[in-house]
Amino acid sequence: MIYCCKCPQPDTRPGIVFDDEQVCSACYQAELRESVNWGRREEELRVISETVKEKNGDFDCVIGVSGGKDSHFQAFYARDNLGLKPLLVNCAPENFTNVGRANLENLVSHGFDLISIRPNPVVMKALTKKGFFEYGNPVKPSEYPLYAVSWIIANKFDIPLIIQGDNPAETLGIVEDTDTGGNAYSIRKHNTISGDASQWLYEGIDLRDLFFYQFPNELEGIRSIWLSHYVKEWSNTGNTEFAISKGLHGRPNHDPSETGKLNSYCSIDSDIHILNQLLKYYKFGFGFVTDEVCYDIREGRMTREAGIELVRKYDGRLSRKYILEFCDYIGISEYTFWKTVDKFVNKDLFYRDSSRSIWRPGEWVPKFKVGVDYVPRKENRRNYPSPNEVF
Ligand SMILES: [Zn+2]
């Protein structure tokens, strides 16, 4: 496990690439962003917008929205800056939080049309269970309808443009299998939603139950773009500030040591996403706080050292109440939960501390120290520039 020399991004993130100077692909992309000719990109976006407006359809574009900070930015930008008539599409998550519902309502109250789709909750619950047991990732199945519904609605309503938020290749550095640039069509190749719906056939669920989990076959005439590629002011913090100014609410009484994340305005619509960050932490040695501080470091809002301190303090933290909530939802015991987590823990990165309680978080202790390169085994050592420290 090595860390980027500019941010605390580890090389354990699937799809990340490091260069010879030990700079991660996200930092590389962030540097490129500084020298972009934004005037030219804005002009490109303007041309795309004018082309779809000429079609004179009922709606000019589809925007998939959760009701969070990025949704607010995208919807307002499309309508007020580009002069488009957007149709917002929401895929309601399981256990939709009250603050998540209120934020979605806040967004449409500013004058937008919304179609809200609720994939069959019985199917979703079964798939969430399958995602947890088979991939150690309970939110994996929900990622499919989240992206696919925009394409389905664009296809059904004959809407020529889909505006998506940030390109993970540019903002997270996930460059393997995902193109950098403005074309969002490549999202279909992305690690999280790769493979077809047949992988979700489970416990009596057939393909007709998975309509919203599949991208339409006929996509001719539909274009999909990443807004982050075209708009200079797109940023994690900037979008949050913008959305707050439009009435976005954060998680009430937010405590990073209970949620494992710093920003109370992120991942507010469902608690399963918070729980999934704990699983990500055990699998790859980093959680949501790493992502958050990396954004701030790349935008010059935080030093790498300050970011590392926050990651050490909060990454992988989670209140037991979220675990119990999840166990209750999929109908398993807490014992089964931890027994399953055990299977997915990366044993090169964590060791079991037998002096601690057996079925509680913290039982698995990191062998690594955040920000300090760590090579688990000599025989696995990869050909990287000399690590700062090995222990
Ligand atoms: Zn980096």
Side-chain angles (χ1 to χ4, degrees), residues 13 30 34 59 102 115 123 135 163 167 199 203 235 295 313 331 352:
R13 181 192 290 283
E34 283 168 23
F59 294 97
I115 291 182
V123 171
Y135 300 96
I163 296 182
N167 184 350
Q199 67 178 305
E203 288 185 352
S235 87
Y295 289 135
K313 200 167 171 191
R352 190 194 288 278

Side-chain angles (χ1 to χ4, degrees), residues 128-129 132 138 272 275 279 321-332 337:
T128 302
K129 206 169 169 179
F132 175 61
I272 301 179
L275 176 118
L279 298 166
K321 75 175 178 187
Y322 294 111
I323 295 165
L324 296 178
E325 214 175 75
F326 175 71
C327 292
D328 187 46
Y329 169 58
I330 62 165
I332 61 169
F337 174 83

Side-chain angles (χ1 to χ4, degrees), residues 3-9 16 18 22-28 294 297-298 304:
Y3 288 90
C4 171
C5 65
K6 298 198 165 186
C7 75
Q9 168 118 271
I16 198 80
F18 280 57
Q22 211 165 312
V23 175
C24 76
S25 33
C27 284
Y28 174 72
C294 283
I297 292 165
R298 288 180 208 125
R304 184 176 186 269

